[in-house]
Amino acid sequence: MTTINKDAKIYVAGHRGMVGAAVVDELHARGYSNIVTRTSGKLDLREQDAVHAFVGNERPDAVVIAAACVGGILANDTYPYQFLYDNVMIEANLIDAAHRNDVPSLVFLGSSCIYPKFAPQPMKEEYLLTGELEPTNQWYAIAKITGVKLVEALRKQYQRQYVSLMPTNLYGPRDNFDLQTSHVLPAMIRKFHEALPDKPVTLWGTGSPRREFLHVTDAARAVVFALENKFDYTLYNVGTGTDITIKELALLVQSVTGHTGEIQWDSSKPDGTPRKLMDVSRLHKAGWKHIIELEKGIQQTYTWFVKNADSIKEVRIEA
Ligand SMILES: NC(=O)c1ccc[n+]([C@@H]2O[C@H](COP(=O)([O-])OP(=O)(O)OC[C@H]3O[C@@H](n4cnc5c(N)ncnc54)[C@H](OP(=O)(O)O)[C@@H]3O)[C@@H](O)[C@H]2O)c1
C-alpha cells in the first residue's frame, strides 16, 4: 500500500553522505521531486532550536534521518564523545521536531552493529538489548539504540507510524575510503588499489569474523519502501541474509582490483564481533528484498572509486 504521494515533501537529513545521497537518488528515480536538504554547515542537527525552527518552517510530509556521526572501530575508539553526543542530539532533535510538527512519516537509520556482541545468529529484531554490546563501538550503539527507542516510544504512546531500519554493513559509491575512519570493505578497496599490482597488503585482525554486506542502493530502496508502506512493527533489519568471512571478502576485493601480491593479517588489531548476520525475514515478509549481489556491487564500487580517487572524502569528525 502506498502511503505517500509523489509530490510529498521529503526532508532527507544527511543528503551528502553515502546513504543520504543514495536515498535522494532513489527518490528521484521513483518520481519524487519535492526533496528538501540542508548541509551540516547550514543546519547543525545538534542544535535543538535550529532543528525545530527548520522543521516547523518546512513542514515536510516525511523525514529520513541519514545524518549521523559514522565510522569504523578506530574512529569510535578515538572519538567516543562525538559518537555518543552528536548522534543522540541529531536523532533526538529530529525525531522530536517531526513529532511536534505532526510530520506523518519518519524513517530512522540504526545499524546492525548495535545488536549485542554475542547475539544469536542470524540476528532478529527482538535481540536488541538482550546482551553486552561490542565495547569498541558502545558509544555509537548506545546513541543509536536511543534513536530506535524514541521511535518505538512515539509509536506506543502517540501511534506515530515512524519506523527504524537496521541496515547491515553498507558499501557503494560515496563511501568513506579514509583509512583512519573507514569500514572494512572500502578500506580493503583502497589498500588493494594502492598496492597494485603486487605489493603486499596488510589487513586488520585475523580474517575469521563473518560479515554481511549490502549495497547502498539496496539500502536506499529499503528506505523508500518504508516511506511507501505501512509497517506493522517499529523495527526492521535490512540486509541480504547471507554472510562471508573477512578473508573471503579480501579475496573477492583482491580479484576485482586485479591485485596479485600477498595478503598479511595483523592479528594484533581487534576483530570486533565474531559474526554479524541479519535475519531479514521480517522485511522480506513485508515485500522487500535486495537486488545487487556482492561481487557485482564490489565491481561497481571499485569503478566508482577509481573514477573518484582524487576527491574521495576524508575524516570529518569535529573533536
Ligand atoms: N555506512 C554504513 O555502513 C552504515 C551501515 C548501517 C547503517 N548506517 C546508517 O546510515 C546513516 C548514514 O550513514 P552514512 O554512511 O551515509 O554516513 P556519512 O556518509 O558519514 O554521512 C553522514 C551525513 O551526516 C551528516 N551530518 C553529520 N553530522 C551532522 C550534523 N551535526 N548536522 C547535520 N548533518 C550532519 C553529514 O552532512 P554534511 O555532509 O552536510 O556534513 C553527512 O553527510 C547513519 O545513521 C548510519 O548509522 C550506515
Side-chain angles (χ1 to χ4, degrees):
M1 182 179 67
T2 296
T3 58
I4 195 161
N5 296 323
K6 295 288 180 193
D7 58 358
K9 187 188 259 194
I10 303 172
Y11 167 47
V12 180
H15 70 289
R16 290 197 301 187
M18 176 172 66
V19 177
V23 169
V24 170
D25 287 350
E26 183 64 18
L27 285 168
H28 281 142
R30 294 183 59 84
Y32 296 92
S33 54
N34 195 1
I35 298 164
V36 180
T37 58
R38 289 291 184 280
T39 63
S40 59
K42 286 261 185 260
L43 176 64
D44 185 337
L45 295 169
R46 294 170 299 186
E47 302 294 330
Q48 187 181 39
D49 290 349
V51 173
H52 280 257
F54 168 75
V55 176
N57 286 335
E58 290 292 338
R59 299 221 154 244
D61 300 299
V63 171
V64 175
I65 307 181
C69 181
V70 176
I73 295 172
L74 183 62
N76 259 270
D77 224 34
T78 314
Y79 305 107
Y81 185 74
Q82 277 72 31
F83 274 81
L84 181 50
Y85 178 81
D86 286 17
N87 284 317
V88 165
M89 294 307 286
I90 290 169
E91 64 209 27
N93 287 340
L94 274 175
I95 292 167
D96 190 53
H99 167 58
R100 284 174 193 270
N101 288 285
D102 219 12
V103 173
S105 189
L106 179 143
V107 178
F108 172 67
L109 287 164
S111 169
S112 61
C113 65
I114 73 176
Y115 280 111
K117 177 170 182 169
F118 297 110
Q121 303 292 320
M123 293 182 287
K124 290 180 187 294
E125 288 83 352
E126 51 266 35
Y127 298 165
L128 193 66
L129 284 173
T130 56
E132 248 176 77
L133 297 171
E134 160 62 44
T136 51
N137 77 342
Q138 58 176 307
W139 326 98
Y140 179 77
I142 286 170
K144 286 286 175 184
I145 291 169
T146 303
V148 168
K149 287 291 169 188
L150 285 170
V151 167
E152 191 181 323
L154 282 179
R155 188 177 276 243
K156 181 178 158 75
Q157 193 176 337
Y158 297 99
Q159 293 73 53
R160 289 270 174 225
Q161 293 296 306
Y162 295 177
V163 162
S164 298
L165 297 181
M166 297 280 248
T168 188
N169 301 294
L170 302 176
Y171 69 96
R174 305 186 193 86
D175 206 342
N176 175 9
F177 292 90
D178 176 354
L179 294 179
Q180 293 301 307
T181 54
S182 58
H183 289 124
V184 58
L185 201 155
M188 278 185 188
I189 288 182
R190 181 163 182 175
K191 284 185 177 180
F192 281 118
H193 177 76
E194 290 181 352
L196 284 175
D198 57 5
K199 274 188 245 133
V201 163
T202 303
L203 299 174
W204 274 35
T206 63
S208 63
R210 300 186 69 85
R211 290 288 183 274
E212 178 186 14
F213 298 93
L214 180 74
H215 194 280
V216 70
T217 300
D218 275 328
R221 286 181 45 250
V223 169
V224 178
F225 182 78
L227 290 175
E228 290 181 339
N229 290 276
K230 206 168 172 210
F231 281 174
D232 294 336
Y233 298 92
T234 184
L235 181 60
Y236 287 80
N237 289 340
V238 185
T240 61
T242 52
D243 61 356
I244 63 168
T245 66
I246 295 298
K247 255 185 198 149
E248 289 165 335
L249 177 74
L251 294 174
L252 209 51
V253 176
Q254 188 184 36
S255 104
V256 167
T257 55
H259 178 262
T260 54
E262 189 195 348
I263 302 176
Q264 295 161 346
W265 294 94
D266 179 359
S267 55
S268 70
K269 294 288 195 304
D271 264 344
T273 309
R275 188 177 190 204
K276 264 187 1 182
L277 176 63
M278 295 293 223
D279 181 323
V280 283
S281 53
R282 186 179 280 183
L283 197 54
H284 281 181
K285 271 191 203 124
W288 179 92
K289 193 179 182 302
H290 78 284
I291 291 173
I292 305 170
E293 295 303 341
L294 186 57
E295 186 164 1
K296 200 163 164 228
I298 293 173
Q299 279 161 357
Q300 188 250 24
T301 306
Y302 184 55
T303 304
W304 184 92
F305 172 80
V306 171
K307 240 191 216 163
N308 295 276
D310 294 338
S311 59
I312 50 174
K313 73 183 163 195
E314 299 293 337
V315 57
R316 60 164 298 285
I317 297 165
E318 270 172 50

